[in-house]
Amino acid sequence: MKNNRYTFMVSIFVLFGSLTLLLSLFLISNFYLRGLEQSYKMLEEKNFEVTNNISNTILESLRSIVGQLNVLSKITTDKNIILNEPIIEKVMWEQLKSNENMASIFLADEYGNFLQTRKEPVYAYRSIHNVDNKNEEVWYYKNLEYLTTSIYISKSTYDPRKRDWYKLVENSKIYWSEPYIFDSTKEPGITISLGNFDEYGSKIKVAAADFTLNKISKLLESKATMLNGKLILFNQSRDVIATSFNIDLKTKNNKLLKLEDLNSSLYSDTLKKIEENLFTGELKDNDEKEYIYFVSKFQKDSGQNWYIASYVEKDIVTADIKNTLINSVLISFLIILIIYFPIQYILQRFITKPISIN
């Protein structure tokens, strides 16, 4: 009879313990999955906010440049810009000073005349007179007060009319080049141009500006802290336009870096995901570290096939959940211990003993 009583008690406690354990496992796993889902959702919302802000900031910077180009292209009604060179130079310097994102700004006409102000690598004013096949190029090097320190004169081999920024600009449309390495600074950037056309649609003048990409990298660097991750901007040709981490964006041969040049499967695998139309998910780097990634297309009105990709370590996302989960398990274990012995006493006092007496 005593063995039966002992067996019954063990069965009751095992059943109680099993049910408690199963319930705890269910609640803990449910908490973890719901917490993970909520964390992913919050991260996705934060990513949308950050990448949208980046797109808007870049486009606003470019739109401000376009506004200045519109003024410059219409600053004079004369087809020959050399006739108004002093005032054009003055306006270009003021425009260059007012926009920190511009490396240089320039104007060319249908005769091949060309005027340019630049602040990188040094302040300089460039003037090419092509009237009557003069082909004279003059560089006026300036100090920080914009005073001329030296002059260099030579025969010019530069014809702006043969450049894409001049040739490809269309009436009422903005030309936005693909990223490339500037000849003057050897730094990556893009060229934006806007044409001035007569009533018959013939091109009269074209104003253009060089926009440096290192400004975008600084923007990405500041926004990456909000995600606690990495950001990278690239185009459909796999050219790396900007990153939130400090790297040289050009190769030893002065070419733009490609995604595959970054020596990490994290970035090259991103291209495969885009081809599969998977714009969010999980990826691993060369060290098998897991990342949650998001890829956003650049705004359509930019006319560019650019992408913004963000990467956040999965451990960072799950760290808070795991800490909360551990605390919950410990608390649950303490609660079970606290209520286990009273329940054991109640079972033994009011159930097991009456059964054994009977």
Side-chain angles (χ1 to χ4, degrees):
M1 189 69 178
K2 189 175 180 180
N3 289 336
N4 290 338
R5 177 189 168 199
Y6 177 77
T7 303
F8 180 74
M9 285 179 61
V10 172
S11 299
I12 289 294
F13 293 141
V14 169
L15 177 62
F16 171 73
S18 300
L19 290 175
T20 304
L21 180 62
L22 288 173
L23 179 61
S24 299
L25 289 174
F26 172 76
L27 292 175
I28 289 170
S29 61
N30 185 63
F31 168 81
Y32 180 78
L33 292 174
R34 289 178 68 86
L36 193 61
E37 182 182 356
Q38 187 66 23
S39 296
Y40 276 26
K41 185 177 180 181
M42 291 175 62
L43 181 62
E44 188 174 13
E45 290 173 354
K46 177 63 71 174
N47 175 75
F48 176 79
E49 177 186 340
V50 168
T51 53
N52 197 50
N53 182 269
I54 291 171
S55 296
N56 288 334
T57 302
I58 294 173
L59 288 177
E60 282 302 315
S61 297
L62 296 175
R63 288 188 187 110
S64 70
I65 292 176
V66 170
Q68 292 174 317
L69 294 179
N70 188 48
V71 171
L72 185 59
S73 67
K74 297 176 182 176
I75 195 170
T76 174
T77 56
D78 290 318
K79 292 185 177 182
N80 185 346
I81 60 176
I82 302 303
L83 298 177
N84 296 276
E85 185 174 0
I87 190 172
I88 291 174
E89 179 190 356
K90 186 176 180 180
V91 170
M92 286 197 298
W93 276 123
E94 291 301 319
Q95 290 179 327
L96 195 63
K97 286 190 289 183
S98 67
N99 195 315
E100 63 176 9
N101 294 315
M102 282 196 298
S104 71
I105 188 167
F106 35 99
L107 181 69
D109 61 25
E110 60 182 347
Y111 303 110
N113 297 313
F114 180 77
L115 305 175
Q116 177 188 23
T117 59
R118 77 176 194 192
K119 57 186 175 185
E120 295 177 6
V122 295
Y123 287 99
Y125 173 68
R126 183 185 186 188
S127 174
I128 298 177
H129 292 203
N130 198 38
V131 178
D132 300 325
N133 294 319
K134 189 176 182 180
N135 293 329
E136 182 182 81
E137 179 172 346
V138 184
W139 281 95
Y140 300 87
Y141 293 97
K142 310 281 184 175
N143 59 21
L144 295 179
E145 286 75 36
Y146 302 98
L147 299 176
T148 302
T149 57
S150 61
I151 300 174
Y152 179 76
I153 304 174
S154 65
K155 277 288 185 180
S156 175
T157 58
Y158 182 83
D159 189 342
R161 296 166 298 182
K162 296 180 180 179
R163 299 287 173 164
D164 285 348
W165 60 266
Y166 190 98
K167 290 192 305 179
L168 301 181
V169 71
E170 298 178 12
N171 198 359
S172 303
K173 290 186 179 181
I174 301 163
Y175 171 76
W176 185 347
S177 76
E178 288 293 334
Y180 67 103
I181 304 297
F182 292 149
D183 288 335
S184 57
T185 62
K186 303 303 179 186
E187 294 297 327
I190 60 174
T191 298
I192 307 161
S193 60
L194 185 68
N196 179 228
F197 295 78
D198 62 20
E199 63 271 25
Y200 304 107
S202 298
K203 194 179 300 180
I204 302 173
K205 296 185 288 290
V206 175
D210 288 336
F211 181 90
T212 52
L213 296 181
N214 59 351
K215 306 294 184 184
I216 302 179
S217 287
K218 291 179 181 178
L219 173 65
L220 263 60
E221 185 178 349
S222 67
K223 297 299 180 182
T225 56
M226 297 178 63
L227 281 175
N228 204 9
K230 302 176 182 179
L231 288 165
I232 185 168
L233 180 66
F234 59 96
N235 62 11
Q236 201 169 30
S237 301
R238 310 188 311 280
D239 297 317
V240 178
I241 297 169
T243 70
S244 64
F245 38 96
N246 188 22
I247 61 168
D248 192 348
L249 296 179
K250 60 181 185 295
T251 65
K252 294 179 180 179
N253 298 323
N254 282 327
K255 301 291 184 181
L256 278 175
L257 279 181
K258 299 286 187 180
L259 278 180
E260 53 266 32
D261 295 329
L262 296 178
N263 296 322
S264 175
S265 58
L266 189 65
Y267 308 112
S268 55
D269 287 347
T270 301
L271 290 171
K272 299 176 185 177
K273 295 296 183 181
I274 293 175
E275 292 171 357
E276 297 171 4
N277 287 321
L278 298 174
F279 293 93
T280 183
E282 296 181 11
L283 287 171
K284 293 182 180 180
D285 63 8
N286 295 348
D287 299 323
E288 294 298 310
K289 187 179 292 185
E290 292 183 302
Y291 285 83
I292 299 168
Y293 77 92
F294 300 95
V295 179
S296 308
K297 287 185 177 180
F298 210 67
Q299 293 184 18
K300 290 183 179 179
D301 59 355
S302 69
Q304 300 295 310
N305 291 316
W306 287 11
Y307 298 90
I308 305 175
S310 52
Y311 307 88
V312 181
E313 288 184 36
K314 188 176 180 180
D315 286 344
I316 293 176
V317 178
T318 59
D320 290 338
I321 302 173
K322 288 178 179 178
N323 290 334
T324 306
L325 187 62
I326 291 171
N327 292 333
S328 299
V329 171
L330 291 175
I331 293 171
S332 299
F333 183 71
L334 288 173
I335 292 173
I336 290 172
L337 287 178
I338 291 170
I339 67 174
Y340 181 80
F341 292 106
I343 290 177
Q344 181 188 25
Y345 174 78
I346 292 171
L347 289 173
Q348 187 175 5
R349 179 75 176 79
F350 297 101
I351 298 178
T352 309
K353 281 188 177 181
I355 291 174
S356 63
I357 292 171
N358 293 331

